[in-house]
């Protein structure tokens, strides 16, 4: 395949990726966006395989079979509840791939048309060094994010004395090592640079608490894109540069939007919680065992909602864990038959990654026009008869407004406490992912419906049909 034809096909592929991002910006067009992305990737892979620089396909086909098989098995078996940690795991692989490609370019520069050993240009050394550094940070940072999301590592911020000073020292050493590597082309300096970056990625994500984990996922997505773009320069691959820049820029923009929506500083998150109080971060939730709680049942919830005029559903991670989205939709349809107006309220960081709840509701065929974002529906809670909170916690916690020592203080929340009645479906009175006790449990207008979210919805459906 000629170079001009390859460039043209890469341009088409890049255009498909841009259209994919545009489609993924809305739940209504997300399927089309995914198709554009798949089509663009197929063009990119075929164009690369047919390029004149590839003479043997044995190892390539071997890698495709292994990777494709693993991807197929994961796609078939993965539960929607595990999607956030799956994304984090995939980000780690992108970062690791960037490190390996940079190492391959350093050990065999003639293969990448960079000259012979000892003759690599300083700019090419900078590109592979920077790509390896960002890739290494992405790899270990994503591993820590995976551990937190999977529950292998606690969701609370893990901090220690002079942590930020240590991070700054490591970051400075990375800069020095990168400059020295550019001047010497030393393999030893390259690996020291890589190992320092691996340590920095570990230390940057460890002190970030569970409440900020959706931002971390988006931020690591951005890192993986910039790592890919850096390696694209090393390989002189325009498509990799464009695609990496698209992913990096879109991830950075999404991280900024989410931080703004959570009243968080983007620099605070990027720098691993810089400026936070370690003592406050390590403090546990306040005890609440002596506070009175009103406990209700699925039958009571059915009676209250069935006799109301309006209901707002607030889904959260507990709904995902119970896989209750289909039962929830059936419950809503039963309420609609009784003349009840029902809508869904989605917090920007509901679940454990951006858009998690939107995907679950779309999977259950919930109409897009019934699903509203925080800014569009928050003012309606005050005039709503019932707020039905199913598995959410931190995003409804009034402590975000009232408790200045809380890890979630300043985060905009859904104003569910303003509804006439709050039906809170949850397995127990345990704190949320951020480790903060929810004072909404103990409000006079709150009724706790303790149990599995799916079973509670099924109880409500049964009671509504019998009434």
């Amino acid at each position: 395949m000629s170079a001009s034809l390859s460039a043209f096909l890469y341009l088409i592929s890049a255009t498909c990726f841009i259209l994919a991002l545009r489609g993924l910006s809305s739940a209504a067009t997300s399927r089309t966006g995914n198709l554009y992305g798949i089509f663009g990737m197929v063009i990119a892979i075929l164009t690369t395989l047919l390029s004149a620089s590839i003479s043997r396909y044995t190892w390539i086909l071997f890698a495709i079979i292994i990777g494709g098989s693993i991807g197929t098995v994961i796609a078939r078996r993965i539960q929607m509840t595990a999607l956030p940690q799956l994304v984090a795991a995939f980000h780690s692989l992108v970062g690791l791939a960037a490190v390996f490609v940079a190492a391959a370019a350093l050990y065999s520069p003639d293969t990448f048309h960079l000259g012979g050993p000892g003759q690599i240009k300083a700019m090419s050394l900078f590109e592979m060094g920077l790509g390896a550094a960002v890739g290494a940070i992405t790899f270990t940072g994503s591993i820590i994010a995976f551990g937190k999301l999977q529950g292998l590592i606690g969701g609370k911020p893990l901090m220690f004395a002079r942590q930020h000073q240590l991070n700054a020292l490591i970051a400075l050493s990375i800069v020095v090592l990168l400059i020295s590597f550019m001047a010497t082309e030393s393999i030893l300096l390259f690996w020291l640079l890589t190992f320092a970056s691996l340590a920095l990625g570990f230390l940057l994500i460890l002190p970030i608490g569970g409440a900020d984990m959706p931002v971390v996922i988006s931020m690591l997505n951005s890192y993986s894109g910039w790592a890919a773009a850096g390696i694209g320069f090393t390989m002189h691959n325009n498509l990799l540069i464009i695609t990496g820049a698209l992913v990096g820029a879109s991830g950075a923009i999404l991280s900024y939007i989410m931080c703004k929506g959570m009243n968080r500083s983007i620099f605070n998150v990027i720098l691993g919680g810089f400026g936070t109080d370690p003592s406050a971060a390590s403090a546990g939730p306040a005890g609440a065992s002596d506070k009175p709680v009103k406990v209700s049942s699925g039958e009571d919830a059915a009676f209250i909602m069935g006799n109301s005029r309006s209901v707002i559903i607030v889904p959260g991670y507990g709904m995902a864990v119970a896989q209750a989205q289909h039962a929830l939709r059936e419950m809503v349809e039963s309420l609609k038959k009784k003349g009840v107006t029902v809508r869904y309220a989605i917090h920007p960081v509901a679940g454990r990654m951006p858009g998690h709840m939107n995907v679950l509701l779309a999977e259950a065929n919930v109409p897009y026009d019934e699903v509203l974002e925080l800014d569009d529906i928050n003012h309606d809670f005050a005039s709503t008869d019932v707020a039905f909170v199913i598995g959410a916690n931190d995003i409804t916690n009034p402590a975000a407004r009232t408790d200045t020592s809380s890890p979630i203080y300043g985060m905009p929340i859904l104003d569910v406490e303003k509804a006439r009645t709050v039906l809170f479906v949850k397995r127990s009175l345990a704190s949320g992912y951020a480790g903060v006790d929810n004072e909404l449990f103990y409000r006079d207008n709150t009724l706790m419906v303790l149990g599995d979210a799916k079973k509670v919805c099924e109880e409500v459906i049964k009671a509504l049909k019998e009434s």
Side-chain angles (χ1 to χ4, degrees), residues 389-414:
V389 183
I390 178 167
N393 200 331
D394 296 326
I395 60 173
T396 64
N397 194 341
R401 295 197 193 96
T402 59
D403 186 0
T404 57
S405 65
S406 173
I408 64 173
Y409 179 72
M411 181 179 80
I413 61 170
L414 290 164

Side-chain angles (χ1 to χ4, degrees), residues 14 23 77 123 143 157 178 180 278-279 282 331 356 411-412 424 458 465:
R77 294 185 177 181
M123 182 53 65
I143 292 297
L178 178 58
S180 302
S279 61
S282 61
M331 184 193 82
H356 196 182
M411 181 179 80
F424 213 119
E458 291 172 346
K465 290 180 178 179

Side-chain angles (χ1 to χ4, degrees), residues 262-278:
M262 295 172 64
N263 196 30
R264 292 286 193 270
S265 166
I266 183 66
F267 296 105
N268 180 287
V269 176
I270 291 175
L271 298 178
F274 180 80
T276 58
D277 182 4

Side-chain angles (χ1 to χ4, degrees), residues 158-170 203 207 274 276 278:
L158 300 176
M159 305 184 72
F160 53 85
R162 301 190 180 281
Q163 185 173 38
H164 301 307
Q165 291 86 338
L166 177 61
N167 289 348
L169 180 62
I170 295 176
L203 293 171
F274 180 80
T276 58

Side-chain angles (χ1 to χ4, degrees), residues 185-197:
E185 196 181 317
S186 167
I187 293 178
L188 175 61
L189 290 178
F190 172 83
W191 287 114
L192 288 176
L193 168 68
T194 301
F195 288 134
S197 301

Side-chain angles (χ1 to χ4, degrees), residues 29-268:
T29 59
S30 59
R31 292 180 185 272
T32 303
N34 267 322
L35 291 176
Y36 275 122
I38 293 171
F39 184 65
M41 186 56 68
V42 169
I43 294 176
I45 292 174
L46 292 178
T47 302
T48 302
L49 291 177
L50 295 176
S51 65
S53 60
I54 297 179
S55 57
R56 290 181 295 178
Y57 292 91
T58 304
W59 286 107
I60 294 175
L61 292 176
F62 185 64
I64 289 175
I65 292 172
I66 293 177
S69 299
I70 294 174
T72 301
V73 171
I74 291 176
R76 287 183 173 276
R77 294 185 177 181
I78 193 69
Q79 299 293 330
M80 287 302 299
T81 51
L83 190 60
Q85 47 264 53
L86 176 66
V87 172
F90 282 170
H91 289 163
S92 73
L93 296 179
V94 174
L96 189 61
V99 174
F100 284 160
V101 171
L106 178 61
Y107 280 93
S108 183
D110 53 324
T111 303
F112 294 83
H113 307 292
L114 300 176
Q119 300 176 345
I120 304 176
K121 294 181 180 180
M123 182 53 65
S124 295
L125 291 172
F126 172 76
E127 291 164 357
M128 69 176 68
L130 183 62
V134 177
I137 292 173
T138 304
F139 174 67
T140 49
S142 298
I143 292 297
I144 296 301
F146 171 84
K148 284 177 174 278
L149 292 167
Q150 188 67 20
L152 303 176
I153 303 175
K156 296 180 182 178
L158 300 176
M159 305 184 72
F160 53 85
R162 301 190 180 281
Q163 185 173 38
H164 301 307
Q165 291 86 338
L166 177 61
N167 289 348
L169 180 62
I170 295 176
L172 180 61
S173 69
I174 290 173
V175 174
V176 173
L177 287 169
L178 178 58
I179 295 174
S180 302
F181 172 64
M182 291 171 58
T184 62
E185 196 181 317
S186 167
I187 293 178
L188 175 61
L189 290 178
F190 172 83
W191 287 114
L192 288 176
L193 168 68
T194 301
F195 288 134
S197 301
L198 289 171
L200 184 60
F202 177 84
L203 293 171
L204 279 176
I205 307 303
L206 200 61
I208 300 178
D212 291 329
M213 200 50 56
V215 182
V216 173
I217 295 295
S218 177
M219 182 182 67
L220 289 171
N221 178 55
S222 178
Y223 287 177
S224 67
W226 297 125
I231 296 304
F233 281 104
T234 300
M235 299 176 65
H236 303 292
N237 188 306
N238 292 332
L239 179 63
L240 197 54
I241 295 171
I242 294 172
T243 305
L246 284 173
V247 174
S250 60
I253 293 171
L254 179 59
S255 298
Y256 173 76
I257 292 173
M258 293 179 66
C259 283
K260 187 176 180 181
M262 295 172 64
N263 196 30
R264 292 286 193 270
S265 166
I266 183 66
F267 296 105
N268 180 287

